Amino acid sequence: MGKCIGFGSLIKALGLSLGLAMVSAGAFGQAPLGDKSSWTGAEKKMDSALVELTRAAAEGKLQAQRMRELPGNVKEFAKQNVAADQTIFIVIRGDVSPHLTAFIKAHGGTDISEFAPFRTITARVPVAAINDIASRADVQTIGPREQATTNRYELSPKELKAYRERLESLKNLSPGAATNVGSVTWQGVTAHKANLAHAAGKTGTGVRVCVLSDGVNTLAARQATGDLPATVTVLPGQAGSGDEGTAMLEIVYDMAPGASLYFATGFGGSEASMATNIVALGAAPYSCNIIVDDVTYFREGAFQDGPIAQAVNTVTTGGALYFSSAANSGNLTHNRSGTYEGDFVASATPVPPAVQAFYGATPVQSHAFGGLNYTTLTAATTTVSLKWSDALGASGNDYDLVVTNAGGTTVLGSSGRNAQTGTQDPVEISQLGGAGFPVGSRLYVVKSTGAATRAIRLDTNRGRLPIGTGTAGSTFGHNAAANTVSVAAVNVATAGGGAFTGGAANPVETYSSDGPRKMFYQPNGTAITPGNFLFGTSGGTTLNKVDMAAADCGSTSTPGFITFCGTSAAAPTAAAIAALIKGNNPALTRAQVLAAMNTTALDIEAPGFDRDSGVGIVMVPAFAATYTIGGTVSGLGAGKSVGLLNNGGDGVTVNANGGFTFATALASGAAYNVTVGTQPTGQTCSVTNGSGTVGAANITNVAVACVNNPPSTYTIGGTVSGLGAGKSVGLLNNGGDGVTVNANGGFTFATALASGAAYNVTVGTQPTGQTCSVTNGSGTVGAANITNVAVACIVTAITGPTSTGTGTATATLTGGGAACGFVTGGSGFVAQPAAPPAGVSFPHGFFRFTATSCPAANGGVTITVTYPSAIPPGAQYYKYGKEAGNTIDHYYTIPATVSGNQVTFTITDGQLGDNDLVANGTIIDPGAIGVPAAAGGPAVQPVPTLSQYALMALALGMFLMAARRRQGKRRR
C-alpha cells in the first residue's frame, strides 16, 4: 500500500487494532468528546487525540497499572506516541519567540526545534505540560507528530514476482548505447532515451540534483558497488531513516550520471521541518538547480499552499526546478478513485445513533452522498482525511469526519473531532492501524448546524470509493502546487525493453493520482474569489495537474527497492531528464527547461493535456553531437585576468597563461567567434584563429596573446576660487608648465604625467591685491587624472581715495593664515564715525575693514596703511568701537608703528582692536591715524564733560536729595 516512512510502516506504527479502536461516548465520565462546547480554551487549541490524552493523564490513567482503563483508541495512541518517561513529541504552531521556547524548556521540553518562518516549534514535552503550553496566548494550535508517507507503491508478492520476471525478460532487448552505472541500471534510461544522450556525451555535468525522501540508510553500500558516486552530499543531521532516498538517488545517477547529488530527509515530524530543508537545498552553499521529493504529509492543505508548498515557491522563485510525485491514491479514469470533492449538501437523513451519541445533544448534519448520508470504502485503508475550503490557520467552521462499521452501529475511528474556532486548520484525519478501516466501512462527513457551507474533500489515501462517488482531483498539497512539476507514473515494462512510444501502449498506472487541483486561497490566506468557496459556483481557481509522466517499476540495487514502483520512482526519473537538458545548456531558465521537456512529451491517455498524465511521457531530447571551443592564453601578467566571449556571450575568465574552454559546446556546423570582453589591467589582448565554423572535432587553436600597454599619462588640474573680476593668477606644476587662470573655475596643466610621477602645484604669479594659496597641490600620479587641486584666492590689499579728499591710500593685510583676507564688501576708506576726541583730527578719514578666516590660533593679522602724505610726529592710531570692559562705542588707541606715510598695527581675533570682541575668525576694525591739532591743522574745541565717576556721584547726590524731600513731606 505505501508507507509513512512508507505506508506499510505507517500501519505498523499506528498499531491500532480494530477491536481496541471502538470509541464510545462519555469516555472518562465527561461530556461526549464530540460536544466541543465542554472543551476548555486550551483544549480547543489541541488535536482531539491530545485532548483525550491529557484528560487521561490528569486522571492518572497513563500509569502502566491503569492503562487498561483507557478506551482502546486512547490506549493505542498513547502506546505509539508516549514514551516511558511520559513525554510526547508535539507540533506547536504560534508566534516563535525566545519567551515561548524558554517556557517550553521550563516545563520539561527537550529536542526543541524552531521553524520561525513557518510559525512552528517541535519539541518533546511531558504530557502533563501540554495544557500549560496550550494556555499561552502566543500558541495557536498543538498537535502530535505530523504523519507523512512516501509515494512508493508496494507490490503484492504475486505482483512483485510477475514484474521481476517481465523485467528479466526485457534485459537484453534495450537498443542503443547505455551507460551502465553500478551493478543495476534503471530501465528508464532506455525507455526515456537517456542512453542516447549519454552516447552523445550528455550526462548532466554541472547540474546539482537534490532529493528529499525518508532516508539513505545504505548509501555507503550503494557507493561501494558503484551504484552511487563517491560523493553524495547529505545536509548535516538530515540523513533521516529508511532507504527510499537511496533508491531515488540511484535513479537520478543512472539517468544523469554527471550530475552532483544531494540529500535531505523530508521526515522531521512536521511540515515545517521538510519546508526548512527545501529552502536550505535551494540556497547557498547547496544551490540546487533541481529538487525532487516523493513525500506527502496527510495534513497538507488541499485548497491553499501550506508550509511545504510555500517553500517550493521560494526555491522556484530563485530559479530551481521542483519535481514531486503526484502520489499513489488512484485516478478516476481507471475507476480507482479514492477521493471525493464537492460542495457540502446536508442530508435529510439523520446521523445514526452511534454517531449522534458521540455528540450528545449537540445537533449535527451529515453530507448527502447521493441518496445516502454516508459513503463506503471499497478498498481498505489506514487513513482517511477530510478538508474543507476555509483558510489554513483560520477555520471557524466545524466539520468532522466519523468512520463506522458497515452497519453504522459502531464508531471505528474519529480523529475528526478537532475544534475549529477561527484559528485552526480545516483538516480532520482519522487513522486505524493493523488492517486499517475494512471494506464496507462507512464514512460520515458531519458539520455543526451553525457551520457555513464549504467545498469538501474526502480522501481515503489509497483506499477506494464506490464508482459514481469518487471524483478526480486526487493529488494535493505541495505535490500539486502551482510551482511544482507533478509527476505521474507509467510502468516501464510497457516500453517492451526499448523506448516509450506513447498512446494506448503506455497508460498511466491505475494507482497514479490524478488532477486537477482546485485552490480557493493565495498562499497568505487571501481568498482568490472572496465570498465564493464552492465548486458549484466556480469559486477559486483550477490548476491543471498533473504536469507530466515518467517511468516507474524499474530496478535498483537498494534493498527493499529491487523493483521500485510508484510515483516515488517516476519523479526522480523526470527530474533527471531535466538535469540532462540543463547540463546540455546551463544557460536555460526554469521555464525553458520545462518547455524543452514538454516538447518531447509523448501523448497518452486523453488526447492533449489530461488530468492523468499532463503533457504525457517526457523523453530525453535528441541532443546533436557538440564540440567545445577553446585555445590558449599567453603573455598574461601575474595576478591579472582576461575575460573572453564566444559569439558575444558564454563568457569565461582566464586568470593565468595556458588553456581555456568555453562552457557551452556547439553543434557541428555552428559558427563561433571568440572576442575579448574584458582586457586585463595595463594590458591589451588580441585574438587569432578566433572565428570559424565547428566541424567534427573540438576547436582548440584559438590563440589569445596579451602585451603590456605603454605607460598611461594623466592630467593635473583642479579649481580656482575667490579670484577677483578682471584678475589672473599664474600657476606652476613642478616649477614649470605654467598656466594662467583668468576666472574662477577649473584649470588643467598642458603636460600630462605618467602614473607614478610626482606633481607639485604652486602659485607663480599672485593676482594684484590678492594672495592665492594651494591645497591638495602635491602627490604622486596614480591611475586617474588629478582633479582635486584647490587654489583659493583672498583679498590682501585695498586701494582707494580717502574720505577727506587728501589723495589715494592703500591698505595691505598679512598673517592670520593662508585663507585670511579682506571682505571686499565690508572694507574701504570712509568718513570718521563720530566727532574726534579733543585736540585730535583725522586728516585722511577712517579705514574700515572686515577680515575673515583669521582665527586666533593662526596668530595676529598685520595691517599696513599707506597714506598720500607723511604722517606728522605725535600721531597715534585710533580705534572707534568697543573694547573689553567698555562695550559702548568710543575712541581709544592701539599700539601702532608710524614710518613716513605708513602706519602698521597688529590685531588678533577677539582681542584688542577687534570690534566684535569675539574669537570667531572674523576681525572688524574701523580705525584711523589721529594727529594732534597743533600738528595737523585747526583743533576742534571739545565740549567739557564730566568723567563717568563724576556723573555717578552727581546721580547719587540727586537721588539722596529727592529722598530727603519726600521724607520731609511725610512728617508734615
Side-chain angles (χ1 to χ4, degrees), residues 836-863:
V840 177
S841 66
F842 302 118
H844 303 294
F846 261 62
F847 173 60
R848 180 183 66 200
F849 73 88
T850 299
T852 60
S853 302
C854 313
N858 290 342
V861 176
T862 300
I863 305 295

Side-chain angles (χ1 to χ4, degrees), residues 520-924:
F520 289 102
Y521 297 92
Q522 303 289 356
N524 64 1
T526 301
I528 295 172
T529 53
N532 184 359
F533 306 108
L534 302 176
F535 289 101
T537 53
S538 301
T541 189
T542 301
L543 304 178
N544 288 322
K545 296 291 174 177
V546 294
D547 292 285
M548 58 182 60
D552 79 331
C553 287
S555 303
T556 76
S557 68
T558 302
F561 298 86
I562 303 303
T563 300
F564 188 8
C565 293
T567 55
S568 281
T573 301
I577 294 173
L580 293 174
I581 295 171
K582 179 77 172 176
N584 178 63
N585 187 352
L588 292 181
T589 64
R590 173 179 178 273
Q592 290 170 328
V593 172
L594 290 177
M597 296 181 77
N598 292 343
T599 300
T600 70
L602 303 174
D603 193 19
I604 61 175
E605 299 296 339
F609 188 98
D610 63 80
R611 68 193 181 203
D612 299 304
S613 68
V615 295
I617 302 173
V618 288
M619 303 292 286
V620 178
F623 297 118
T626 58
Y627 304 95
T628 59
I629 311 299
T632 56
V633 171
S634 63
L636 185 64
K640 299 186 178 184
S641 61
V642 57
L644 304 177
L645 302 174
N646 184 25
N647 293 328
D650 191 25
V652 61
T653 299
V654 182
N655 299 308
N657 291 315
F660 69 89
T661 302
F662 288 98
T664 302
L666 300 179
S668 179
Y672 65 93
N673 182 27
V674 178
T675 56
V676 177
T678 305
Q679 296 285 2
T681 303
Q683 291 192 292
T684 298
C685 301
S686 56
V687 180
T688 55
N689 302 323
S691 60
T693 301
V694 178
N698 294 331
I699 303 297
T700 60
N701 67 334
V702 178
V704 180
C706 303
V707 297
N708 293 330
N709 296 331
S712 299
T713 59
Y714 302 96
T715 58
I716 311 299
T719 57
V720 171
S721 62
L723 186 64
K727 299 185 178 184
S728 62
V729 59
L731 304 177
L732 303 175
N733 183 24
N734 293 328
D737 191 25
V739 60
T740 299
V741 182
N742 298 309
N744 293 313
F747 69 88
T748 303
F749 289 99
T751 303
L753 300 180
S755 178
Y759 65 93
N760 183 28
V761 178
T762 56
V763 178
T765 306
Q766 295 284 5
T768 302
Q770 290 191 276
T771 299
C772 300
S773 58
V774 180
T775 54
N776 302 322
S778 61
T780 301
V781 178
N785 294 331
I786 303 298
T787 60
N788 67 333
V789 177
V791 179
C793 301
I794 58 173
V795 178
T796 56
I798 294 177
T799 299
T802 65
S803 64
T804 59
T806 57
T808 299
T810 299
T812 61
L813 178 151
T814 59
C820 179
F822 289 126
V823 176
T824 55
S827 304
F829 295 93
V830 298
Q832 62 189 34
V840 177
S841 66
F842 302 118
H844 303 294
F846 261 62
F847 173 60
R848 180 183 66 200
F849 73 88
T850 299
T852 60
S853 302
C854 313
N858 290 342
V861 176
T862 300
I863 305 295
T864 299
V865 183
T866 303
Y867 293 105
S869 59
I871 300 171
Q876 292 182 288
Y877 197 79
Y878 282 80
K879 289 281 294 177
Y880 183 79
K882 305 169 181 64
E883 60 180 320
N886 187 358
T887 57
I888 299 173
D889 288 342
H890 64 285
Y891 284 106
Y892 63 94
T893 61
I894 62 172
T897 301
V898 176
S899 176
N901 64 338
Q902 291 184 329
V903 61
T904 301
F905 55 90
T906 299
I907 298 176
T908 300
D909 181 32
Q911 298 181 22
L912 181 66
D914 182 3
N915 198 42
D916 63 9
L917 302 178
V918 179
N920 56 4
T922 299
I923 297 173
I924 301 173

